[in-house]
Every structure is written in C-alpha cells, then in structure tokens.
Amino acid sequence: MRKKHLAMTLSRLGGFRNPKPELEQYRTPGNVAAELLWLAHSMGDLEGRVVADLGAGTGVLSVGACLLGAGKVYAVEVDGDAVEVLHENLGSLGLADCVDVVHTDVSDFSERVDTVVMNPPFGSQNPHADRPFLMKAFEVSDVVYSIHLAKPEVRRFIEAFVRDFGFSITHRVTLPFEIPAQFFFHRKRLERISVDVYRLQRS
C-alpha cells in the first residue's frame, strides 16, 4: 500500500457522530495519520508489532496500523459513541480480528506494547490534557508516535517532558492539520493549524 492510498482510505472512514468538546474530539485527517503511520512503518515499528492507539477515537490510527501490517492493535477509547463508530470502521474493512477495542480511560490501560500511536487532546479546552496520554505511553512502550501543536511553547514543553521520563525525540515532522467547524465556539468553517508528529524513544 502506498502512502497516498493509505491517506485516501483513512479519509473515507466514519467520523465522530456526536463530537464532545470536553474530549477535544477532532478527526485525525487522513494525510496526517498516513504521515505518522508511514514514518512508523519505515522505522520498523508497525509490521508484526503489538501497537496501542491511546485515545483511539473512531479508529483512524488503529485502522492504518493494521493496514500496514501490525500484528495486533489495542484501540483504547473512553467514549462509547466513538467506540461504536470504531467498530463500524473496522468491520467495513474486515479488520475486526486485528484490533482489540478497549473501552476505558487511557489511565486504566496496562498492556505492554511495542509501539504507541496517538493523537492526544491538544489541551485547548482542558490545559495539559495531553499529559496523561504521554505518561501512559511512556509507561507501556519504549517507542511512541504522537501529534501535538506546532507552537514554540508546546515544543519546549514536549522536549522537557520527554527528557524527564527518560525519552528522546528522534523525529519531528511539521504538517498542516485541518479542523472543520463542529462546535459552537468555532468561528471559521475550516481552521487550519500546524502540528508536529513526534517519534519518541526511550533513551
């Protein structure tokens, strides 16, 4: 599968039916998910590996990991509405056997995995909302792929935070990220921001 085809497949997946602002439920754009997953694939972190998708939402990263050869994926998601769509997306592509859907808060997940992939909350509604995701990722894996806002203050935080947990940044790729209007506080039909995709590895 080529990266372009992967991005198109992920873009066609069902999205959030009832997105919740307090959970910062934004769909991960297919092109951004494909860039993260393609990097993970090229680094040997997906094929045949056990992967956790923390805060899986409707399963964009989980589906992509399976399509690129992951041996098993734990899709960890707290929201029941999202889990329903996640199951539908897996079924539509015949990937139900590849993914173990874990309907729980990420803090309660404890399986040891080879690789974590995630698009945690940016912390726009709840400051520091990404921290529990990073802490859990560092607890269960030695290799983590994560998406964060491409802002100087966020970069400084990530650099210090990962260092405190004995990790280092091996890759950082900056990408455009489109957020369609879906909440009452959105002023534009389409918000374009920049994000950083990180690869983090235990030092």
Side-chain angles (χ1 to χ4, degrees), residues 56 58 103-104 127 176 179:
T58 59
H103 184 187
T104 189
I179 300 175

Side-chain angles (χ1 to χ4, degrees), residues 155-175:
R155 287 176 174 174
R156 286 193 296 270
F157 159 71
I158 295 291
E159 288 164 7
F161 198 77
V162 302
R163 190 168 57 243
D164 288 346
F165 281 83
F167 277 70
S168 58
I169 299 167
T170 65
H171 296 72
R172 187 181 74 199
V173 182
T174 305
L175 300 167

Side-chain angles (χ1 to χ4, degrees), residues 50-59 62 72-84 86-87 90 96 98-113 133 136 140:
V50 178
V51 178
D53 178 4
L54 301 183
T58 59
S62 295
K72 179 175 185 176
V73 179
Y74 291 102
V76 186
E77 175 54 47
V78 71
D79 180 50
D81 290 335
V83 165
E84 197 173 296
L86 200 167
H87 279 294
L90 294 173
C98 175
V99 179
D100 185 353
V101 179
V102 185
H103 184 187
T104 189
D105 189 274
V106 293
S107 62
D108 295 324
F109 178 72
S110 59
E111 294 289 338
R112 185 78 190 163
V113 299
F133 289 81
K136 178 56 65 173
V140 301

Side-chain angles (χ1 to χ4, degrees), residues 3 23 40 61 65 111 136 146:
K3 182 165 64 172
L23 295 178
L61 293 175
E111 294 289 338
K136 178 56 65 173
S146 191

Side-chain angles (χ1 to χ4, degrees), residues 24 26-27 29 31-32 119 122 124 147-151 174-180 186 188 190-196:
E24 295 191 39
Y26 302 108
R27 179 193 178 99
N31 62 313
V32 175
N119 178 19
F122 292 146
S124 303
I147 302 171
H148 300 271
L149 290 175
K151 291 183 174 181
T174 305
L175 300 167
F177 189 110
E178 294 186 345
I179 300 175
H186 283 152
K188 299 179 183 176
L190 190 68
E191 186 77 41
R192 289 182 175 88
I193 62 174
S194 292
V195 298
D196 289 326

